[in-house]
Structures are given as structure tokens and as C-alpha cells.
Amino acid sequence: MIREHNILIASVGGQGGITLSRIIARAAMKMGYRVIVGETLGMAQRGGPVQSHVRIGSQVYGPLIPEGRCHILIALEPVEALRAARYLSPESTILLNETVLPPITAILGEVPYPTLREVVEALNRIGCGVYHLNAEKLALEAGSKRCLNVVMLGAYMAYMEAERLNIITMEAAEEAVRESVPSRYLEANLRALKLGYEALMKSMSSSAY
Amino acid sequence: MSGILGGEGEHRLLMGNEAIARGALEAGVGLAIGYPGTPSSEVIQTLSRVADQISMRVEWAVNEKVAVDIATGYAYAGLRALATMKNAGLNVASDTLMSVAYSDVKGGLVIYVADDPGAHAGMEEQDNRWFTRLSLLPMIDVSDPQEGKDAVVMAFELSEEYEVPMLVRSTTRVAHMTSIVELGPVRELRRTPGFERDIRRYTRASPKWCMEQHERLNEKLKLLSGRVDGLPVNRLHIPEDGAERGVVASGISWSYLRELLDRHGLWDRVAALKIGTVNPLPRGLIERLMEGVGELLILEELEPYLELHLRAVASELDLRPIIHGKMDGWLPRVGEYTPELVERALGRLLGLELERSNREVEEARAEALKQAPRRPLPLCPGCPHRGTYTAMRMALRELGYKDGEFIVTGDIGCTILGMHPPFNLCWTEVSMGASIGLGIGLRYAGIDKPIIAAIGDSTLFHAGLPPALNSAWHRSRIVIAVLDNRVTAMTGHQPSPTSGYTATGGEAKVIEADEVLRALGVEHIWVADPYNLEEAKEAFKEALRCDGPSAVVLKRVCALVARRMGLTEQPYRVDPERCTGCQLCLRTLACPAMTLSPEGKAEIDGEACTGCGLCAQICPVGAIGRSEP
């Protein structure tokens, strides 16, 4: 019985953050949990920041994770993890894709863009544990950059297993992926799920934070 | 794969707007019609995707008023109609709705309106609960998807029982939240349409009839008022041993309150009233609450609508509970409520420290956030508006106008994205179609600069035609730039009169903006392809030289639609040998498909590039060309 498990997915429009939130929500529903998804996207659906709040448990009613109550932040882009800072606390764990999508202002050098190391340090200062992986590379390996979100789902599955947070089983996750992605991308996505899972398992066994 | 087609008793994960769509199925709605607008669009969109499996006519109308006109006619014929719109859409529809309130609708007529506290969609934070005071119409304000679905079904029942149009309101948080919904039975009404002449009901042409209708509306409201206490959208909780303090909540605030009362175990310490009918108010429940408590907290977003009414009830009953809300400054009138805001107010009411705060953590969070650079809203790769705005700038420059020496009025939709760098065009954004009227007004005021009104095709057809007609009639010297991307793009690519298809994918007549403008009397019109900078620039130059009203129609399908239809072309690539690293392409176009290599050369992401070719036209050294297939 879970009372409240809050997953925040921070992404840039077009990265598949919203689809990922739906996949996790479907999987949680299959496991018999109450689940609520809230979205903050404003006009920024294309290329702007998107935050999806997935809330699982018997005591959740609102669509937003209250400040500081995020358990797991899945960031599909490093800077988007920083942008989600208000939801984080020392009890939060962050799963981070390393590959960056700098805005045009940063590309042209008009504004500074933090390095991966700076991002991780800033998150560590809040007290969060951070695991990062190159999800884009793994997604390409799986067959398409579009599977980046499902690579991160794989990482989340590995993290839950390691922490014995058995909220969603691999079967439920796979089934939810099947129901949520276009059939021509299904095989690639299932590979992505596995690759993300293995990558995080490996990095968790070799190093922590 | 739509979740809304499940059987009775099934549980489905539905977004608020999808739940509203399901409600329409369960209510036996025969016509669902609306105009796209965030955060309401998904209702019609969801229904349109399953239209071939349900017996419902699903349609996008040219604007909200037309949608409500059509829905009213349908309901006059005895069948059930749902009209949907965003907050400002109700303003457009209100002309009809104010009047229809006085008619007796035979079939159920429900208007679904989605407000936007927090201005996520970049429009006013209009609180449409006040529309009930203006129109006298009943309204249900919903707080989650399940309630949204159930409220639609209930609204149709009540609409027919009292022969009055009903409003169902949600907000962005509710409309766009997804949760598990238990489905009810789908109904199919097999009614024979009929409409009888009854001018005492269906016209307002005689003052006597009009006032009789007004009186009847008031009577209906009084009757309905006696019913609402018992409706499931209104709920009163009083702890067994009573409570000194109470909370009143509506909409999303109720979800936040429930969660807090659960988490902190406070249900036995406060009375709680959830209000779902903002008109008529559940008077009996309000009285019962007020008789028991000495202090009340009211949780509602935007205006103190409930607060004012509750203060009035208290004064009528000669009760003097201390009422906290917006009027004593406990809670803001601007922006949406958050769980934290509600937690703080609840803690203050109960004299409890409910929030955990840790200074160090808070500082580290603020520090982290500061390091995140803003993401300016870009135009998508291949967006035709990029070509339009680039060509517009080129034309103005070649005619010798510097920044500040011309005015571009902007309009609603993707068009307004031209206000961002590097284009820095679009000085105004007021309401649908207003770019044209504003331009005329600026001209009348004596401003002699070139004035361009930038407006999308869907926006032009929605409310831009009357001002265009006005400009032609009075020979106003403005340039109407129609950014014709063949869809209603910003809200999710719903068809517009230029698309050639209907909401459900059926064939439709293609209406061309240039032909319509010509018929309205705009004599000087150029049509150009925004992917062809030279052509578009020359068209703008010609139009700017005109002495009367002129128009440039820039036709090219939205790049996201083109991609979905497989219409994109071979991507471009940069020859790193020839690229001098001048960055002109990036600085002029700000295309998200372009970046700089570590060596400072322009680079194109072949997966993101749609092959529009603007960068190749901008490059001064010819370093950009189409990649090999």
C-alpha cells in the first residue's frame, strides 16, 4: 500500500516527456494503484520546458507535486532538472539524461549554459542523489533517438528494483510501453527499456552519486 | 486506442477534457461543436477521433458564437448539444448565450468552458463564474476528471428538466489533469427532431415577452436552487464533534484541500464544504456550515466569487463568522493556487505549522534554479512563419524603415511567436482578429508609419473578417499579413476553413483567405510562399507601397502537420569547409534544428530539419545545400 509516490518528469517539448508520464501512469494503474498525472506546459509544447507530475498512491488528489515532495525526478535534459528544483529535497533521487538541448541564446553564447558537472553539483547541494546516463546514445543504439524517454523508463525500473520500491513490475512497464508507442517503434522501445535498465544497474553497482 | 470508449463500470485513465468527452457520450449528446482554445480543445479532439464509432456529429466551428448558435438550433429541435470553448471563447459566444438564456431549450444545451488561472495559455485570467451573474445561467465548477464526466451527464439532465442552458466550467489544472475515471453507461437518444413556431419563446422582439422570459428564467433558477444541496458536486463534511473552523473550497482547490486533510489527519478538526454549483449556490449547505463555525477559510482561484456570496449569506443570517480569503489578503486574486498556498492558509486557520521548511535546502534550490537559463519560445523547425517574419523584416529594411519606424500588430495563435527574438515583431496581442482593428485605429490616430496586421488563417476566419471588411469599406491604409498555415496550429492542428477537411477527417470545402479578402473589398492582394524569401519579401514591399488596404497571404502548411503527413523534404546540411562561422543563419532564423559545432561552424540536425531551405537562402557564402537522399 503506497500512500504517496511522486515522480516528476522534466523535459523539453518534443522529447517524449508527456508520453513517458502516460506510460508510467498506465503501468501504475495496471498494478492497481490510484494515479494522477498533472502537466505544466503552458504554451511551451514545442521546444519549451515541460514538467509532468506523476503521482501514485492512496493519498494523492491534486495534480501537482507539492514543493519538496518529489521522490524521483526523471530529467530528460540536465538544465530541466535545475528548473524543477522547487520540487526537490534531500530525499529526492534524480535520474538524469546527460545530453543537452541548449536554447539558441546559449548556442550563441548570450547566456551561460551550465555543464553537466555544474548541474550535478547544484543538485547535490540540495542533497539529492544523482545518477546520470547518456540516454540519447542508448536510444540510438536501440533504434531511434525518439526512444530516449523509454531509456529513462528503463533506468527508473532499475532504480526501483535496487531500492526495493516494487511499485511497477517490468511486465507492467512493458505492457504500458506496448499500449503507448506507435507499433513501428515498439521493438526499438522495448530494446530501449532494456538498455536503460542495464545502464543504470551497471552505474549503480559501480558508483553511487 | 481511445480510453473514452470503454464499457460501463470500466476504469480508464482519462484527462479532464477526455472525461468531459466521455460525459457527452454518456449523456447521449448528438452534436459536439466548438472552437479550439487551450485548455479546452481536447474535448472535441477526443470525440473527433472516435467519431466513426459513435453516433455523434463532431465539428469545429469557425468561432465560439457560431458554435453556440448551431448548438442552440440543435437543442431547439429537441436534441442534445454540447459546445466547448476556452475562457475568452465565452466572450465571443456570450451574445448568443445571453439571449438563449431567455428561451426554453427543449433538448439539453451544455456549454463547457475551460478557464485558465495562471495564464498558462497566455490569455487573461478571466473568471467565468461571474458570467452566471450576468446571464443568470446555472454553472457547475468541476474539480477532477471523474466529476467532470459526471457533471456533464448531470448538466444535460438538469438542462432538460429546467429547460435552461447549463454551463460546466473547469480550469487548466482540471482540464489537463489525468486520473482514473469509472465509466458509466453510454446512451444513445433516438429522438425525432421537431421545432414549432413559438415567437413568444424564441424571439425577444416584444418588451412584454422579453420580460416574461426574464421572469421565467428567474423562476427556473429558484426551482433549481431547491435542488442543488442534494447534488453530488456539493458536499458538506462536519466532524462528529463539530468544529470551530471550516473551509469552503471549489475547483482544483478542493483536490489540494482533500489531500492536505488526509496527509495531516485533519478531517476531525475542520468542517469542509465543497461547492460544485457556483450558480445556484448550495444555500442549505452553506447555512448549515455557517451555523456551526466561528471562522471560515474560502479556497477559490481568481476572484472572490464565493467569498462575496458567503459574506452576503452571513449577513442575511445575521451570523458573524470571521471569513478569510482574498478580501482580507490571506490569498491572492492573481495566478493559480498551489498546494503550498493552500497548505499555508490552512495552517494559518488552524494555528498549526503544517509546512516543513529548511532554509539551507531552500537556498540550494533557489541557487539551482538560477543556473537554468530561460528557454525562449522558438518557432518549430520548418515553421512557415519563420519565412514570413524574415521576409517582412527584409522588406521593411529594403524600404528604409528601421526598428521603431513601423508597427506590426499581432494576433492570437502561433502568429504571436513573432514577438520573440530574433524577429521582435508583433507589438500587440489583444483578442481574436484585433490586429486589424487596432491597426486601423492607430492609423486614424494619425500615425503615419507602415502598419502591418499579422494574423493567422484560423484567426482571420474567426473574427478577422469584419475588421478586414471595415478596412476595405473605409479604405484604411494597412497591410493585412495572413500567416496561412492551413490549420489552427497553436491549439493542436485542428482544421480551419483553409484545411479542406473536417474535424472527423471528412472532405470539406477549401476557403482561400485571398479570395475572401478580395470579396470583402480588399483590392490589393499578393499571395506568396513563405519558404521563398525573395517572393515573400517582394510581396510585402508591394503591399507596403499601397495607398489603401492591402493584404499579403503567405501560404504554406504548418511544418508539424507536414511532418505528420510525410510531406517534409530532404533535410539541408552545412558544408563545414565553406561555412565561415558568421552565424548569420542562426541569428536571423533561430531555427531549433541548427546549432554550432565545437569549431564554431553551423550544423543542421538532419532528423529535426524539415527541408524548408530558409537557411540556404540566408547563407551569404552558399555553404548550405540539400543533403543527398
Side-chain angles (χ1 to χ4, degrees):
Chain A
M1 177 75 169
I2 292 166
R3 283 184 167 178
E4 184 180 348
H5 178 69
N6 295 320
I7 308 158
L8 185 70
I9 299 159
S11 65
V12 177
Q15 279 193 307
I18 292 177
T19 307
L20 178 55
S21 72
R22 293 300 143 80
I23 295 174
I24 296 178
R26 270 174 200 264
M29 191 181 160
K30 284 179 199 304
M31 301 299 295
Y33 295 112
R34 269 170 52 86
V35 59
I36 293 174
V37 185
E39 245 119 31
T40 299
L41 34 82
M43 289 196 297
Q45 297 169 37
R46 295 144 201 159
V50 181
Q51 292 177 346
S52 304
H53 302 232
V54 184
R55 312 194 62 209
I56 300 168
S58 57
Q59 253 181 32
V60 298
Y61 294 98
L64 295 179
I65 298 173
E67 211 170 279
R69 293 183 76 86
C70 170
H71 298 101
I72 314 235
L73 166 63
I74 305 176
L76 304 192
E77 208 274 355
V79 155
E80 294 314 312
L82 297 178
R83 214 184 301 283
R86 61 179 296 208
Y87 301 105
L88 302 175
S89 78
E91 282 95 66
S92 314
T93 299
I94 298 158
L95 307 175
L96 187 75
N97 168 36
E98 294 166 2
T99 48
V100 297
L101 283 173
I104 180 87
T105 45
I107 291 172
L108 295 174
E110 291 162 8
V111 297
Y113 198 74
T115 62
L116 178 64
R117 193 173 156 170
E118 286 167 337
V119 169
V120 173
E121 279 171 5
L123 297 170
N124 284 156
R125 271 196 294 277
I126 301 173
C128 311
V130 182
Y131 297 98
H132 51 89
L133 62 157
N134 189 326
E136 188 175 310
K137 205 179 99 194
L138 295 170
L140 283 170
E141 205 175 302
S144 164
K145 221 162 107 174
R146 283 163 181 263
C147 308
L148 189 148
N149 55 354
V150 175
V151 172
M152 294 306 289
L153 173 64
Y156 170 64
M157 297 304 297
Y159 174 77
M160 275 200 300
E161 191 179 309
E163 293 290 312
R164 301 188 195 290
L165 276 167
N166 299 317
I167 300 172
I168 297 166
T169 59
M170 202 48 148
E171 291 72 44
E174 270 182 26
E175 217 181 302
V177 169
R178 258 176 232 285
E179 290 171 14
S180 310
V181 305
S183 53
R184 65 182 187 281
Y185 290 114
L186 179 62
E187 285 310 310
N189 273 298
L190 293 176
R191 277 195 297 275
L193 183 65
K194 192 160 162 277
L195 287 172
Y197 173 87
E198 286 166 359
L200 199 79
M201 273 297 178
K202 211 168 116 196
S203 96
M204 277 197 303
S205 61
S206 63
S207 71
Y209 303 0
Chain B
M1 208 178 56
S2 178
I4 72 158
L5 290 181
E8 184 180 359
E10 282 183 42
H11 289 77
R12 292 292 173 96
L13 206 51
L14 297 184
M15 187 198 270
N17 283 339
E18 291 173 329
I20 298 288
R22 170 70 190 196
L25 283 175
E26 293 183 8
V29 165
L31 171 71
I33 189 163
Y35 183 79
T38 312
S40 71
S41 316
E42 293 86 358
V43 178
I44 300 288
Q45 226 165 327
T46 303
L47 290 169
S48 70
R49 287 195 191 118
V50 297
D52 54 338
Q53 297 164 68
I54 58 178
S55 51
M56 190 188 298
R57 185 180 175 105
V58 184
E59 192 169 301
W60 289 117
V62 290
N63 69 30
E64 294 86 352
K65 179 190 181 292
V66 173
V68 173
D69 292 344
I70 293 172
T72 299
Y74 198 87
Y76 276 180
L79 311 182
R80 290 186 168 187
L82 172 73
T84 74
M85 60 206 63
K86 72 171 179 182
N87 60 354
L90 196 59
N91 303 342
V92 180
S94 64
D95 202 4
T96 292
L97 209 48
M98 288 295 299
S99 176
V100 174
Y102 279 25
S103 298
D104 303 316
V105 289
K106 263 175 26 194
L109 176 61
V110 174
I111 314 298
Y112 171 67
V113 58
D115 282 1
D116 188 25
H120 299 278
M123 288 297 292
E124 309 85 57
E125 291 188 292
Q126 173 175 326
D127 188 339
N128 272 317
R129 293 178 303 167
W130 291 104
F131 191 73
T132 64
R133 296 289 124 188
L134 194 64
S135 65
L136 307 180
L137 289 174
M139 175 187 277
I140 304 173
D141 189 18
V142 300
S143 62
D144 63 37
Q146 179 78 53
E147 198 175 81
K149 177 191 77 67
D150 298 342
V152 169
V153 179
M154 188 168 71
F156 274 102
E157 296 298 327
L158 294 173
S159 172
E160 288 186 355
E161 192 178 334
Y162 295 91
E163 299 191 320
V164 67
M166 294 277 302
L167 292 152
V168 174
R169 172 195 185 245
S170 78
T171 56
T172 302
R173 284 291 161 218
V174 177
H176 282 174
M177 96 184 242
T178 300
S179 62
I180 298 169
V181 175
E182 185 179 340
L183 307 182
V186 168
R187 278 181 75 188
E188 211 173 300
L189 301 177
R190 297 184 190 280
R191 293 183 182 164
T192 309
F195 183 55
E196 273 154 38
R197 186 167 190 269
D198 185 352
I199 52 177
R200 288 180 83 105
R201 281 182 172 192
Y202 300 122
T203 77
R204 324 279 163 253
S206 128
K208 182 167 171 285
W209 298 347
C210 207
M211 285 188 288
E212 279 169 12
Q213 292 165 3
H214 190 181
E215 193 59 53
R216 200 158 60 232
L217 176 59
N218 277 318
E219 278 161 20
K220 289 177 191 173
L221 261 290
K222 201 186 277 173
L223 287 173
L224 180 57
S225 186
R227 277 279 297 284
V228 294
D229 274 0
L231 297 179
V233 287
N234 297 317
R235 286 197 293 278
L236 175 63
H237 158 84
I238 295 178
E240 244 170 65
D241 305 329
E244 274 294 296
R245 297 180 175 82
V247 188
V248 176
S250 73
I252 200 65
S253 307
W254 170 247
S255 303
Y256 297 147
L257 176 69
R258 254 172 117 180
E259 183 166 323
L260 286 165
L261 294 180
D262 260 21
R263 187 192 307 149
H264 298 294
L266 294 170
W267 284 104
D268 58 349
R269 299 201 38 189
V270 282
L273 172 61
K274 186 224 173 247
I275 294 186
T277 53
V278 298
N279 189 42
L281 287 166
R283 175 71 189 227
L285 299 183
I286 293 171
E287 288 183 13
R288 269 177 61 204
L289 172 74
M290 282 207 184
E291 277 157 11
V293 300
E295 211 170 338
L296 261 182
L297 169 68
I298 297 172
L299 299 172
E300 57 182 328
E301 291 178 310
L302 303 177
E303 286 299 291
Y305 175 95
L306 294 176
E307 191 175 342
L308 271 167
H309 286 94
L310 262 62
R311 282 179 191 275
V313 173
S315 125
E316 255 180 78
L317 297 176
D318 207 16
L319 292 168
R320 296 180 202 286
I322 302 167
I323 295 182
H324 303 294
K326 296 165 194 283
M327 295 168 76
D328 64 351
W330 273 34
L331 288 153
R333 288 167 93 135
V334 175
E336 62 175 347
Y337 281 7
T338 59
E340 297 77 49
L341 211 59
V342 172
E343 187 168 41
R344 223 167 297 139
L346 183 65
R348 197 165 164 190
L349 175 76
L350 299 176
L352 297 171
E353 190 93 26
L354 298 177
E355 319 125 84
R356 312 167 294 175
S357 87
N358 178 333
R359 192 84 186 269
E360 239 172 78
V361 169
E362 274 165 31
E363 278 170 13
R365 276 192 213 148
E367 205 47 50
L369 185 61
K370 227 189 284 168
Q371 284 185 57
R374 237 173 48 80
R375 272 185 201 284
L377 272 188
L379 296 173
C380 305
C383 176
H385 298 355
R386 180 177 286 106
T388 295
Y389 286 127
T390 305
M392 192 187 286
R393 275 213 157 273
M394 287 163 66
L396 287 160
R397 196 174 51 231
E398 286 183 19
L399 292 176
Y401 299 108
K402 296 195 197 65
D403 268 15
E405 295 176 353
F406 56 84
I407 292 171
V408 180
T409 54
D411 223 304
I412 314 289
C414 287
T415 307
I416 197 61
L417 296 174
M419 73 182 178
H420 295 299
F423 312 108
N424 299 313
L425 299 165
C426 296
W427 298 24
T428 62
E429 185 201 25
V430 172
S431 65
M432 298 290 281
S435 57
I436 299 170
L438 284 176
I440 298 170
L442 289 164
R443 180 67 77 221
Y444 286 179
I447 288 174
D448 201 33
K449 300 169 177 179
I451 297 173
I452 303 176
I455 184 168
D457 52 321
S458 188
T459 312
L460 178 77
F461 289 119
H462 176 286
L465 297 180
L469 179 62
N470 211 86
S471 78
W473 182 18
H474 296 99
R475 298 193 181 284
S476 315
R477 185 160 52 87
I478 62 161
V479 178
I480 302 169
V482 183
L483 283 69
D484 181 357
N485 58 8
R486 320 303 281 176
V487 284
T488 312
M490 181 65 107
T491 46
H493 312 108
Q494 296 82 5
S496 100
T498 49
S499 304
Y501 49 88
T502 65
T504 51
E507 207 189 313
K509 183 167 173 61
V510 177
I511 318 286
E512 295 293 353
D514 44 305
E515 288 172 16
V516 174
L517 289 174
R518 197 176 310 278
L520 291 181
V522 179
E523 285 163 17
H524 308 289
I525 299 176
W526 287 265
V527 176
D529 178 1
Y531 280 2
N532 185 334
L533 288 178
E534 190 60 29
E535 180 182 298
K537 179 191 75 183
E538 286 306 318
F540 273 120
K541 279 166 77 174
E542 294 288 334
L544 283 161
R545 287 191 194 110
C546 280
D547 200 28
S550 63
V552 182
V553 181
L554 299 117
K555 287 187 199 179
R556 179 59 85 153
V557 70
C558 166
L560 295 180
V561 174
R563 185 177 279 274
R564 202 180 309 144
M565 291 179 161
L567 297 175
T568 51
E569 296 185 37
Q570 194 58 26
Y572 280 71
R573 65 178 292 278
V574 181
D575 179 352
E577 301 297 314
R578 293 169 77 175
C579 175
T580 62
C582 73
Q583 302 181 353
L584 188 67
C585 50
L586 276 154
R587 289 182 189 277
T588 310
L589 303 171
C591 176
M594 301 191 84
T595 187
L596 283 179
S597 71
E599 295 77 40
K601 310 269 182 167
E603 260 183 356
I604 295 171
D605 174 352
E607 241 183 271
C609 175
T610 67
C612 78
L614 293 180
C615 52
Q617 295 170 57
I618 289 289
C619 180
V621 296
I624 305 177
R626 241 186 239 285
S627 59
E628 295 298 315

